[in-house]
Amino acid sequence: MTTTDIGDEIDLVIGVDTHKQTHTAAVVGAATGAHHGTHTVAATPTGYLELLGLVDGVEGRRVWAIEGCGSWGRGLYRWLDARGEAVVEIERPKRPRRHMGIKDDGTDALRCAREALAQRRWCAPRAEGQRDVLAALYAVRRSALKAAVDAERQLLALANTAPESLAVKVRDLSTYMTVKTCATWRPTAHHDPTRRGIALAMHSLAQRIIVLRAEVTALEREILAAVKAMRPDVLEIEGVGPIVAAVVLCAWSHPGRVRSDAAFAMLAGTAPIPASSGQTVRHRLNRQGDRQLNWAIHVTCCHRMRTDPRTRAYVERRRAQGKTDREIRRCLKRYITRELFNALEKGA
């Protein structure tokens, strides 16, 4: 289903709080918000069938509001979607502070249902298929890259504190050459236990970095192939490479999921938040939304500010008006968000 106004067309909202082993559902009347009951079932097809049977006993047209359609709720979403049930995705509801430890799955499920009723438009879960492939490849590539960077930091720290007989071999070398040098060491050649142990540690880190960097490169090739198979036109946008395209496509998912470029800007955290008071009109930085999508748009913005003549001309014009570079970047990120959204929707 798409993000349409369907609040007047349904009688029941079933909010579902999802977990690894169990799911808890709360049934709420759409007209009054009355709570009709809460049920907990196993997160298995048998449990899904039991939950559907319990809900079938309540009359009315229904919609399922599931928290975590991309994680623990994925199986339930697929099962319901295959049976023609209406499913919408709910972000994690805002939870009040709990000073007395008041928390249970039934309360969270009820909050999901009422959060859905409070929204004017509902969001469809992200698409499956090629989008899932892209998301999985990107997540694994990101973790491999982080592990490689962490290992490089450890190696450089050891290089700075190693005994002089080892430190002199990598002093003044670049990170790449330090890794390459340490990877060729033979720790067993050192008879001194201290030098042998530190050499072994540095050699092990270097070998790990090489493997991780090769993994990152292989995953980037797969990401490029997946992007080309899904939406090759996105790569034609100035400043958008395979990694940025993967992040944008994973967030956008499919046509109609995000209703407008303004909604996409809110999703990306590039829409300024009004913070006006009296006769003073101002905005503050939006720190919400999908931070990976915000990062991807920031990378595109920085690339354009360095290399794109039109963007550089815009930057100089805005500087002449007294704008700071930070304010200019915020404006550019909003424009880039609109351009990406329009390209995604029109090219679908």
mmCIF file with all atom_site columns, all heavy atoms in Angstrom, residues 29-44:
data_model
loop_
_atom_site.group_PDB
_atom_site.id
_atom_site.type_symbol
_atom_site.label_atom_id
_atom_site.label_alt_id
_atom_site.label_comp_id
_atom_site.label_asym_id
_atom_site.label_entity_id
_atom_site.label_seq_id
_atom_site.pdbx_PDB_ins_code
_atom_site.Cartn_x
_atom_site.Cartn_y
_atom_site.Cartn_z
_atom_site.occupancy
_atom_site.B_iso_or_equiv
_atom_site.pdbx_formal_charge
_atom_site.auth_seq_id
_atom_site.auth_comp_id
_atom_site.auth_asym_id
_atom_site.auth_atom_id
_atom_site.pdbx_PDB_model_num
ATOM 1   N N   . GLY A 1 29 ? -9.725  0.718   18.310 1.00 0.00 ? 29 GLY A N   1
ATOM 2   C CA  . GLY A 1 29 ? -10.760 1.231   17.419 1.00 0.00 ? 29 GLY A CA  1
ATOM 3   C C   . GLY A 1 29 ? -10.346 2.555   16.815 1.00 0.00 ? 29 GLY A C   1
ATOM 4   O O   . GLY A 1 29 ? -9.906  3.463   17.526 1.00 0.00 ? 29 GLY A O   1
ATOM 5   N N   . ALA A 1 30 ? -10.480 2.689   15.502 1.00 0.00 ? 30 ALA A N   1
ATOM 6   C CA  . ALA A 1 30 ? -10.037 3.902   14.821 1.00 0.00 ? 30 ALA A CA  1
ATOM 7   C C   . ALA A 1 30 ? -10.906 5.096   15.171 1.00 0.00 ? 30 ALA A C   1
ATOM 8   O O   . ALA A 1 30 ? -10.414 6.231   15.241 1.00 0.00 ? 30 ALA A O   1
ATOM 9   C CB  . ALA A 1 30 ? -10.035 3.674   13.307 1.00 0.00 ? 30 ALA A CB  1
ATOM 10  N N   . ALA A 1 31 ? -12.175 4.907   15.378 1.00 0.00 ? 31 ALA A N   1
ATOM 11  C CA  . ALA A 1 31 ? -13.090 6.020   15.620 1.00 0.00 ? 31 ALA A CA  1
ATOM 12  C C   . ALA A 1 31 ? -12.931 6.611   17.015 1.00 0.00 ? 31 ALA A C   1
ATOM 13  O O   . ALA A 1 31 ? -12.928 7.828   17.197 1.00 0.00 ? 31 ALA A O   1
ATOM 14  C CB  . ALA A 1 31 ? -14.529 5.573   15.397 1.00 0.00 ? 31 ALA A CB  1
ATOM 15  N N   . THR A 1 32 ? -12.761 5.751   18.011 1.00 0.00 ? 32 THR A N   1
ATOM 16  C CA  . THR A 1 32 ? -12.738 6.215   19.401 1.00 0.00 ? 32 THR A CA  1
ATOM 17  C C   . THR A 1 32 ? -11.389 6.055   20.086 1.00 0.00 ? 32 THR A C   1
ATOM 18  O O   . THR A 1 32 ? -11.163 6.647   21.142 1.00 0.00 ? 32 THR A O   1
ATOM 19  C CB  . THR A 1 32 ? -13.790 5.445   20.220 1.00 0.00 ? 32 THR A CB  1
ATOM 20  O OG1 . THR A 1 32 ? -13.441 4.049   20.233 1.00 0.00 ? 32 THR A OG1 1
ATOM 21  C CG2 . THR A 1 32 ? -15.174 5.614   19.621 1.00 0.00 ? 32 THR A CG2 1
ATOM 22  N N   . GLY A 1 33 ? -10.515 5.260   19.516 1.00 0.00 ? 33 GLY A N   1
ATOM 23  C CA  . GLY A 1 33 ? -9.247  4.975   20.174 1.00 0.00 ? 33 GLY A CA  1
ATOM 24  C C   . GLY A 1 33 ? -9.373  3.969   21.293 1.00 0.00 ? 33 GLY A C   1
ATOM 25  O O   . GLY A 1 33 ? -8.442  3.783   22.083 1.00 0.00 ? 33 GLY A O   1
ATOM 26  N N   . ALA A 1 34 ? -10.531 3.297   21.382 1.00 0.00 ? 34 ALA A N   1
ATOM 27  C CA  . ALA A 1 34 ? -10.760 2.325   22.453 1.00 0.00 ? 34 ALA A CA  1
ATOM 28  C C   . ALA A 1 34 ? -9.864  1.104   22.273 1.00 0.00 ? 34 ALA A C   1
ATOM 29  O O   . ALA A 1 34 ? -9.660  0.622   21.152 1.00 0.00 ? 34 ALA A O   1
ATOM 30  C CB  . ALA A 1 34 ? -12.222 1.903   22.475 1.00 0.00 ? 34 ALA A CB  1
ATOM 31  N N   . HIS A 1 35 ? -9.367  0.595   23.374 1.00 0.00 ? 35 HIS A N   1
ATOM 32  C CA  . HIS A 1 35 ? -8.488  -0.565  23.358 1.00 0.00 ? 35 HIS A CA  1
ATOM 33  C C   . HIS A 1 35 ? -9.330  -1.826  23.459 1.00 0.00 ? 35 HIS A C   1
ATOM 34  O O   . HIS A 1 35 ? -10.021 -2.050  24.445 1.00 0.00 ? 35 HIS A O   1
ATOM 35  C CB  . HIS A 1 35 ? -7.514  -0.457  24.540 1.00 0.00 ? 35 HIS A CB  1
ATOM 36  C CG  . HIS A 1 35 ? -6.549  -1.590  24.607 1.00 0.00 ? 35 HIS A CG  1
ATOM 37  N ND1 . HIS A 1 35 ? -5.939  -1.975  25.783 1.00 0.00 ? 35 HIS A ND1 1
ATOM 38  C CD2 . HIS A 1 35 ? -6.075  -2.431  23.653 1.00 0.00 ? 35 HIS A CD2 1
ATOM 39  C CE1 . HIS A 1 35 ? -5.142  -2.995  25.550 1.00 0.00 ? 35 HIS A CE1 1
ATOM 40  N NE2 . HIS A 1 35 ? -5.203  -3.296  24.266 1.00 0.00 ? 35 HIS A NE2 1
ATOM 41  N N   . HIS A 1 36 ? -9.262  -2.686  22.422 1.00 0.00 ? 36 HIS A N   1
ATOM 42  C CA  . HIS A 1 36 ? -10.083 -3.896  22.370 1.00 0.00 ? 36 HIS A CA  1
ATOM 43  C C   . HIS A 1 36 ? -9.370  -5.143  22.864 1.00 0.00 ? 36 HIS A C   1
ATOM 44  O O   . HIS A 1 36 ? -9.987  -6.201  22.945 1.00 0.00 ? 36 HIS A O   1
ATOM 45  C CB  . HIS A 1 36 ? -10.580 -4.136  20.950 1.00 0.00 ? 36 HIS A CB  1
ATOM 46  C CG  . HIS A 1 36 ? -11.531 -3.089  20.462 1.00 0.00 ? 36 HIS A CG  1
ATOM 47  N ND1 . HIS A 1 36 ? -12.777 -2.894  21.016 1.00 0.00 ? 36 HIS A ND1 1
ATOM 48  C CD2 . HIS A 1 36 ? -11.408 -2.173  19.474 1.00 0.00 ? 36 HIS A CD2 1
ATOM 49  C CE1 . HIS A 1 36 ? -13.396 -1.904  20.378 1.00 0.00 ? 36 HIS A CE1 1
ATOM 50  N NE2 . HIS A 1 36 ? -12.572 -1.448  19.444 1.00 0.00 ? 36 HIS A NE2 1
ATOM 51  N N   . GLY A 1 37 ? -8.076  -5.049  23.149 1.00 0.00 ? 37 GLY A N   1
ATOM 52  C CA  . GLY A 1 37 ? -7.379  -6.231  23.645 1.00 0.00 ? 37 GLY A CA  1
ATOM 53  C C   . GLY A 1 37 ? -5.938  -6.279  23.189 1.00 0.00 ? 37 GLY A C   1
ATOM 54  O O   . GLY A 1 37 ? -5.554  -5.622  22.219 1.00 0.00 ? 37 GLY A O   1
ATOM 55  N N   . THR A 1 38 ? -5.136  -7.063  23.895 1.00 0.00 ? 38 THR A N   1
ATOM 56  C CA  . THR A 1 38 ? -3.720  -7.229  23.589 1.00 0.00 ? 38 THR A CA  1
ATOM 57  C C   . THR A 1 38 ? -3.388  -8.712  23.556 1.00 0.00 ? 38 THR A C   1
ATOM 58  O O   . THR A 1 38 ? -3.866  -9.481  24.397 1.00 0.00 ? 38 THR A O   1
ATOM 59  C CB  . THR A 1 38 ? -2.847  -6.525  24.649 1.00 0.00 ? 38 THR A CB  1
ATOM 60  O OG1 . THR A 1 38 ? -3.172  -5.132  24.663 1.00 0.00 ? 38 THR A OG1 1
ATOM 61  C CG2 . THR A 1 38 ? -1.369  -6.690  24.342 1.00 0.00 ? 38 THR A CG2 1
ATOM 62  N N   . HIS A 1 39 ? -2.575  -9.115  22.571 1.00 0.00 ? 39 HIS A N   1
ATOM 63  C CA  . HIS A 1 39 ? -2.226  -10.525 22.413 1.00 0.00 ? 39 HIS A CA  1
ATOM 64  C C   . HIS A 1 39 ? -0.720  -10.637 22.138 1.00 0.00 ? 39 HIS A C   1
ATOM 65  O O   . HIS A 1 39 ? -0.167  -9.841  21.373 1.00 0.00 ? 39 HIS A O   1
ATOM 66  C CB  . HIS A 1 39 ? -2.997  -11.156 21.252 1.00 0.00 ? 39 HIS A CB  1
ATOM 67  C CG  . HIS A 1 39 ? -4.467  -10.907 21.306 1.00 0.00 ? 39 HIS A CG  1
ATOM 68  N ND1 . HIS A 1 39 ? -5.318  -11.608 22.134 1.00 0.00 ? 39 HIS A ND1 1
ATOM 69  C CD2 . HIS A 1 39 ? -5.245  -10.021 20.626 1.00 0.00 ? 39 HIS A CD2 1
ATOM 70  C CE1 . HIS A 1 39 ? -6.556  -11.169 21.963 1.00 0.00 ? 39 HIS A CE1 1
ATOM 71  N NE2 . HIS A 1 39 ? -6.537  -10.205 21.056 1.00 0.00 ? 39 HIS A NE2 1
ATOM 72  N N   . THR A 1 40 ? -0.094  -11.651 22.727 1.00 0.00 ? 40 THR A N   1
ATOM 73  C CA  . THR A 1 40 ? 1.312   -11.946 22.473 1.00 0.00 ? 40 THR A CA  1
ATOM 74  C C   . THR A 1 40 ? 1.427   -13.327 21.861 1.00 0.00 ? 40 THR A C   1
ATOM 75  O O   . THR A 1 40 ? 0.859   -14.293 22.384 1.00 0.00 ? 40 THR A O   1
ATOM 76  C CB  . THR A 1 40 ? 2.127   -11.881 23.781 1.00 0.00 ? 40 THR A CB  1
ATOM 77  O OG1 . THR A 1 40 ? 2.055   -10.556 24.322 1.00 0.00 ? 40 THR A OG1 1
ATOM 78  C CG2 . THR A 1 40 ? 3.587   -12.210 23.521 1.00 0.00 ? 40 THR A CG2 1
ATOM 79  N N   . VAL A 1 41 ? 2.157   -13.407 20.746 1.00 0.00 ? 41 VAL A N   1
ATOM 80  C CA  . VAL A 1 41 ? 2.311   -14.680 20.042 1.00 0.00 ? 41 VAL A CA  1
ATOM 81  C C   . VAL A 1 41 ? 3.780   -14.888 19.707 1.00 0.00 ? 41 VAL A C   1
ATOM 82  O O   . VAL A 1 41 ? 4.590   -13.952 19.751 1.00 0.00 ? 41 VAL A O   1
ATOM 83  C CB  . VAL A 1 41 ? 1.473   -14.713 18.745 1.00 0.00 ? 41 VAL A CB  1
ATOM 84  C CG1 . VAL A 1 41 ? -0.005  -14.564 19.054 1.00 0.00 ? 41 VAL A CG1 1
ATOM 85  C CG2 . VAL A 1 41 ? 1.930   -13.634 17.772 1.00 0.00 ? 41 VAL A CG2 1
ATOM 86  N N   . ALA A 1 42 ? 4.129   -16.106 19.342 1.00 0.00 ? 42 ALA A N   1
ATOM 87  C CA  . ALA A 1 42 ? 5.492   -16.407 18.919 1.00 0.00 ? 42 ALA A CA  1
ATOM 88  C C   . ALA A 1 42 ? 5.765   -15.778 17.558 1.00 0.00 ? 42 ALA A C   1
ATOM 89  O O   . ALA A 1 42 ? 4.864   -15.659 16.723 1.00 0.00 ? 42 ALA A O   1
ATOM 90  C CB  . ALA A 1 42 ? 5.694   -17.917 18.849 1.00 0.00 ? 42 ALA A CB  1
ATOM 91  N N   . ALA A 1 43 ? 6.998   -15.373 17.332 1.00 0.00 ? 43 ALA A N   1
ATOM 92  C CA  . ALA A 1 43 ? 7.381   -14.757 16.060 1.00 0.00 ? 43 ALA A CA  1
ATOM 93  C C   . ALA A 1 43 ? 7.674   -15.837 15.026 1.00 0.00 ? 43 ALA A C   1
ATOM 94  O O   . ALA A 1 43 ? 8.777   -15.955 14.484 1.00 0.00 ? 43 ALA A O   1
ATOM 95  C CB  . ALA A 1 43 ? 8.592   -13.857 16.266 1.00 0.00 ? 43 ALA A CB  1
ATOM 96  N N   . THR A 1 44 ? 6.658   -16.644 14.724 1.00 0.00 ? 44 THR A N   1
ATOM 97  C CA  . THR A 1 44 ? 6.735   -17.731 13.753 1.00 0.00 ? 44 THR A CA  1
ATOM 98  C C   . THR A 1 44 ? 5.460   -17.734 12.929 1.00 0.00 ? 44 THR A C   1
ATOM 99  O O   . THR A 1 44 ? 4.454   -17.128 13.332 1.00 0.00 ? 44 THR A O   1
ATOM 100 C CB  . THR A 1 44 ? 6.875   -19.089 14.461 1.00 0.00 ? 44 THR A CB  1
ATOM 101 O OG1 . THR A 1 44 ? 5.688   -19.316 15.255 1.00 0.00 ? 44 THR A OG1 1
ATOM 102 C CG2 . THR A 1 44 ? 8.096   -19.109 15.374 1.00 0.00 ? 44 THR A CG2 1
#
